[in-house]
Amino acid sequence: MASDNYSGSDIVVLKGLEAVRMRPGMYIGSTGTRGLHHLIWEILDNGIDEHLAGFCSRIDVTLKKDGGIEIADHGRGVPVDLHPTEHIPAVRVVYTILHAGGKFSNSIYKVAGGLHGVGASVVNALSKKMTVEVRRDGKIYRDEYENGGQPTVKLENGLLPVVGKCAKNDTGTKVLFYPDDTIFETVEFKPEIIAKHLKESAFLNKGLLLNFKDEINGTETKYYEEDGIKSYINYLVKTGARDNEGFRTLIPEPVYIEGTSGDIEVEVAFTYTNSYTEQINSYCNRINVVDGGTLVTGFKSGLTGVMNKYARELGVLKEKDENFDGKDIRNGIVAIVSIKHPNPQFEGQTKTKLGNNDAKQAVEDVFTDEVTHYFDKNLEELRPSLTIH
Ligand code: 0RA
């Protein structure tokens, strides 16, 4: 009987998950295609956190023939020991208790805003079936849930039974789930949406291998970007092409800089093209902040300052000349600004704008210092580009 599976905290568990099922939009934005795919990103983010913590270099995403989706990371494996206050296995806490995810995140750069980081239990709440398999210490454990997160595995002294053995160094977490078709308008995952997201994730997480197996169409694709956002710039220039030849870049290779200011990590890559527009893509803790905010303001003021400084040093601007306007300096730029912030404040109606004031200063400082180094080292190569066109 199901009642054997329940402990004292189960009422709280079911109430939390029931709240998600009553108002799914509040947790994942929509019950359409976008919300449906958000479920995948939510589980994937946990594996990426494990990569950021330095324990996972590969994640496999598999679209199953029966419409389910499986995300297998090769990290340490979610802990399976007894949770000190919930009295159920820690892994079951992560997948059934609302907002428990954050406590388990091992990254200091938690994804606290917008629709991200709502936790794996939200995915479970919105699934008709979910299986979590953990490999740790040479043992395999499996927990299973149905109808929105109700556990079906009987615990033994509060713990999950061992269902198999594996090599000691074979560790990780594999999550397979089937979205609930009574909640979503459609439960059909779109391979092209998954592929695009994995490609973007590979650019934003250099050194992480993302393997996508589409069993419905019989294809397998690997996404891996050694050079991270620097390669992303080349990709954006190529795909943003106006004609068959694409935009022409005005410098041989994108400029790439990284550095930290306090506990804020900053990465910027940019190039100049012969287009008349500017494109600045910004990310905080890997989330695309499409409306920019303080991190973009910091980048812009850093760029304006550095460019004017060099224009004067190189004599492009004479003493009597006024400084170049920021807008003119950004003409033709393609840039990516990516930061990691321990306490991001996502603002605006859609939570797609960064509000932290310290992010502006951090980006401006790191950018100015690092680009100054970069220019001093590469000035001969860049000199032809620093003249007025
Ligand atoms: C905290 C501690 C440990 C592992 C994880 C979190 C973890 C969570 C997830 C979620 C998806 N995949 C994951 N992989 C790992 C382990 C700490 C230890 O081994 O000492």
Side-chain angles (χ1 to χ4, degrees):
M1 234 332 261
S3 64
D4 292 353
N5 299 321
Y6 288 81
S7 73
S9 62
D10 288 332
I11 305 295
V12 184
V13 170
L14 293 177
K15 273 200 171 146
L17 297 191
E18 190 51 36
V20 177
R21 290 173 68 81
M22 302 263 288
R23 290 188 171 74
M26 262 186 58
Y27 296 86
I28 53 154
S30 81
T31 52
T33 296
R34 214 186 151 89
L36 178 78
H37 288 81
H38 197 91
L39 303 180
I40 310 177
W41 319 152
E42 203 58 49
I43 300 297
L44 185 66
D45 275 351
N46 290 335
I48 296 179
D49 276 348
E50 191 66 358
H51 164 73
L52 283 183
F55 299 102
C56 172
S57 54
R58 175 184 178 134
I59 302 175
D60 291 278
V61 178
T62 307
L63 180 56
K64 299 280 192 184
K65 269 213 160 77
D66 62 5
I69 190 114
E70 184 181 83
I71 296 100
D73 72 51
H74 299 264
R76 288 168 294 178
V78 184
V80 291
D81 48 334
L82 202 61
H83 190 277
T85 55
E86 303 291 345
H87 308 295
I88 53 174
V91 58
R92 191 175 281 188
V93 172
V94 172
Y95 292 92
T96 62
I97 300 189
L98 201 55
H99 303 307
K103 274 180 255 165
F104 264 83
S105 174
N106 37 35
S107 163
I108 68 159
Y109 301 114
K110 279 190 266 301
V111 178
L115 299 171
H116 294 264
V118 290
S121 66
V122 166
V123 179
N124 202 0
L126 301 174
S127 297
K128 60 176 193 236
K129 186 169 158 45
M130 181 187 259
T131 306
V132 180
E133 192 180 283
V134 174
R135 289 166 185 258
R136 263 180 92 89
D137 304 320
K139 299 186 190 91
I140 306 174
Y141 306 84
R142 188 178 303 128
D143 207 7
E144 295 186 322
Y145 318 89
E146 56 184 33
N147 299 326
Q150 303 187 43
T152 59
V153 173
K154 194 170 184 297
L155 301 178
E156 295 170 4
N157 296 321
L159 296 173
L160 284 171
V162 175
V163 296
K165 283 185 184 168
C166 59
K168 269 228 147 118
N169 63 358
D170 179 9
T171 60
T173 307
K174 188 152 74 183
V175 180
L176 168 67
F177 67 92
Y178 297 82
D180 193 328
D181 57 5
T182 65
I183 289 174
F184 289 95
E185 291 151 38
T186 168
V187 289
E188 196 182 312
F189 290 115
K190 297 252 187 300
E192 63 277 13
I193 295 180
I194 300 169
K196 181 168 182 279
H197 186 92
L198 294 182
K199 188 165 182 75
E200 180 171 283
S201 297
F203 282 126
L204 294 174
N205 297 283
K206 60 180 170 194
L208 173 63
L209 171 64
L210 294 160
N211 186 58
F212 180 34
K213 198 167 171 195
D214 175 354
E215 291 184 349
I216 294 174
N217 296 293
T219 59
E220 187 164 346
T221 317
K222 287 185 165 47
Y223 299 94
Y224 179 84
E225 297 294 341
E226 182 99 49
D227 289 326
I229 62 168
K230 185 173 169 184
S231 306
Y232 201 177
I233 292 288
N234 289 329
Y235 170 77
L236 287 175
V237 169
K238 216 166 55 188
T239 54
R242 280 178 305 189
D243 51 49
N244 292 337
E245 288 176 26
F247 290 130
R248 198 163 53 80
T249 52
L250 304 181
I251 52 177
E253 263 198 73
V255 177
Y256 170 79
I257 61 98
E258 63 181 326
T260 57
S261 170
D263 46 14
I264 304 172
E265 289 177 20
V266 178
E267 260 188 296
V268 178
F270 68 93
T271 192
Y272 276 98
T273 72
N274 59 343
S275 89
Y276 295 105
T277 54
E278 60 177 75
Q279 180 180 357
I280 304 171
N281 294 3
S282 58
Y283 299 85
C284 179
N285 298 359
R286 306 187 313 268
I287 294 172
N288 188 194
V289 270
V290 291
D291 296 317
T294 50
L295 76 178
V296 173
T297 314
F299 166 66
K300 286 180 177 174
S301 53
L303 184 73
T304 306
V306 167
M307 289 302 194
N308 275 302
K309 187 179 77 176
Y310 278 91
R312 286 201 187 277
E313 271 177 33
L314 295 169
V316 176
L317 282 177
K318 306 280 180 259
E319 209 173 317
K320 60 173 179 20
D321 293 331
E322 282 198 25
N323 270 354
F324 288 125
D325 190 69
K327 193 105 188 78
D328 294 331
I329 288 172
R330 295 192 297 277
N331 210 348
I333 204 166
V334 178
I336 291 165
V337 182
S338 175
I339 73 164
K340 308 264 167 57
H341 195 291
N343 180 33
Q345 303 299 320
F346 297 101
E347 297 178 342
Q349 273 268 283
T350 50
K351 304 275 183 215
T352 43
K353 187 169 182 173
L354 193 72
N356 305 71
N357 281 319
D358 56 357
K360 175 185 180 298
Q361 205 58 51
V363 176
E364 184 172 345
D365 290 353
V366 170
F367 184 84
T368 303
D369 284 3
E370 295 301 321
V371 171
T372 300
H373 283 148
Y374 182 93
F375 278 6
D376 287 346
K377 263 198 306 206
N378 298 278
L379 211 50
E380 284 320 307
E381 202 185 324
L382 291 169
R383 193 182 288 278
S385 328
L386 289 171
T387 53
I388 304 168
H389 291 272

